[in-house]
Amino acid sequence: MYVSQQENECKGVVLDETGETVIGASVLVKGTSNGTITDLDGNFVIQNVKKGDVIVVSYVGYKNVETVWDGTNLRILLKSNAEELDEVVVVGYGVQKKVNLTGAVSSVKGEAFETRPVVDATQGLQGMVPGLNVSNSNSGRPGATGTLSLRGQGNLSGNASPYVLVDGVEMSLSDINPNDIESISVLKDAAACSIYGARAAYGVILVTTKKGQEGKMRANYQGTVGWSTPTVLPDMVNSLDFVKFWNDGVTNAGAGGRAYSAEKIAQLEQYMRDPSSLNPWAELQPGQSLNAAFENSELGLGNTDYFDLHYKNFSFKQSHNLSFSGGNKK
């Protein structure tokens, strides 16, 4: 059955409580990445929408609205989120209510880290702040951490990282214990430069740590236990299959002298049946570097799956945090 394009188009307009059109509101088909934003007149059009799909409309400072599309044009009315506008966020060297704030600021409370089994606050922010990109490309190396990007790639050096201040002191976010964080405020736009200067050109992340409170001494313990496993590992061929590919490549390249000989292939088959029957290092001279034995050449014997050798199927990880806090009037 043929369905015209118009029958799959969801059209509508988004208005605020005063009846004014809302520009730049996000309109999305729930559960999918199919969406758009409203134009200068508050109108929107989404393609490939079916009757019965749920349309979600969101905008900063307003409550999200969900409605079921019945095939007609939609008229969405947004209501202000008074609770969100009354939140207090850190801006520069002080605090301010969101309702009085002109710059783009996102805040994350410390409780958000309690449900995330991470030992690095950088990874804990992943998916928590709109517009904040967390890259964990180097996180597999010992001592390495993720990188943060708020305003995209801003220079040729690739070091466009936000300015991180912890209780007013510049330091790396990965050096902070996630359990010690009270709140995090992320200053996204160029307005932060008016406070911190050029260091804030790529955004600012302000971290406030927990303080002792008046009363009895408090003890807090938090622990996580889990396992990590590789998502995808290459499947390596055995040595005989590698030899066939190698010899085919040598033949195609016209370098016949570098191919595995029939005698070497026979030795390799014997080595794979019984590794103890042959010396895999026989072709190395006394005192010669072992590097030659691991090169892709027609020399040597071996049948090692190095991905299986170096990577475990899973690894155990655990984190334990014990803290004591207290205070008095002084």
Side-chain angles (χ1 to χ4, degrees), residues 6-314:
Q6 288 73 16
E7 293 178 351
N8 289 331
E9 285 185 349
C10 175
K11 298 182 180 180
V13 62
V14 179
L15 308 172
D16 61 13
E17 293 173 308
T18 64
E20 294 292 331
T21 57
V22 178
I23 304 172
S26 174
V27 185
L28 190 70
V29 179
K30 188 173 184 179
T32 71
S33 59
N34 184 19
T36 185
I37 60 174
T38 56
D39 59 18
L40 296 176
D41 297 320
N43 298 316
F44 65 88
V45 178
I46 307 179
Q47 305 291 341
N48 301 322
V49 184
K50 303 186 297 294
K51 291 184 178 180
D53 284 348
V54 178
I55 307 300
V56 182
V57 181
S58 60
Y59 191 70
V60 177
Y62 291 85
K63 295 181 180 179
N64 292 357
V65 174
E66 295 187 6
T67 184
V68 178
W69 186 57
D70 58 0
T72 61
N73 291 350
L74 297 178
R75 182 182 174 89
I76 307 296
L77 180 64
L78 296 181
K79 295 183 179 180
S80 61
N81 191 344
E83 295 179 359
E84 181 179 344
L85 293 177
D86 284 336
E87 288 184 7
V88 175
V89 295
V90 179
V91 286
Y93 299 99
V95 296
Q96 193 173 21
K97 283 189 176 183
K98 278 189 177 181
V99 69
N100 299 323
L101 188 63
T102 57
V105 178
S106 292
S107 60
V108 179
K109 298 184 183 299
E111 291 83 353
F113 294 96
E114 296 179 359
T115 58
R116 295 195 160 199
V118 295
V119 295
D120 191 331
T122 302
Q123 296 179 358
L125 281 177
Q126 193 163 20
M128 300 291 290
V129 179
L132 177 63
N133 180 42
V134 181
S135 174
N136 293 310
S137 58
N138 294 323
S139 60
R141 300 179 180 179
T145 184
T147 57
L148 301 174
S149 175
L150 263 175
R151 306 186 66 193
Q153 182 64 41
N155 56 41
L156 297 177
S157 301
N159 57 356
S161 301
Y163 188 39
V164 179
L165 291 173
V166 180
D167 292 332
V169 179
E170 179 185 3
M171 62 188 304
S172 173
L173 191 60
S174 61
D175 293 336
I176 305 300
N177 183 355
N179 297 279
D180 293 338
I181 295 176
E182 179 71 26
S183 65
I184 296 180
S185 293
V186 181
L187 283 63
K188 302 179 183 180
D189 57 20
C193 294
S194 63
I195 304 173
Y196 298 103
R199 298 296 301 273
Y202 306 111
V204 180
I205 296 179
L206 302 174
V207 181
T208 303
T209 58
K210 297 177 181 178
K211 306 293 190 298
Q213 298 179 358
E214 183 178 356
K216 295 182 179 179
M217 175 71 71
R218 296 182 179 181
N220 181 70
Y221 167 77
Q222 183 175 3
T224 59
V225 178
W227 286 264
S228 297
T229 181
T231 52
V232 177
L233 290 177
D235 293 326
M236 293 189 66
V237 298
N238 60 39
S239 295
L240 281 178
D241 289 336
F242 172 79
V243 166
K244 295 176 183 178
F245 294 138
W246 177 272
N247 282 356
D248 289 342
V250 169
T251 301
N252 293 335
R258 295 278 293 174
Y260 282 81
S261 64
E263 179 184 0
K264 178 59 68 175
I265 295 177
Q267 291 178 353
L268 185 57
E269 291 177 338
Q270 179 181 345
Y271 179 83
M272 292 179 63
R273 289 193 301 267
D274 184 10
S276 62
S277 63
L278 292 173
N279 177 17
W281 318 107
E283 293 169 332
L284 292 178
Q285 301 299 322
Q288 184 179 356
S289 171
L290 288 177
N291 290 341
F294 292 95
E295 293 177 350
N296 283 339
S297 70
E298 72 282 5
L299 304 177
L301 298 172
N303 187 41
T304 303
D305 186 341
Y306 283 99
F307 284 98
D308 184 61
L309 176 67
H310 291 292
Y311 293 92
K312 299 178 180 179
N313 292 330
F314 63 88

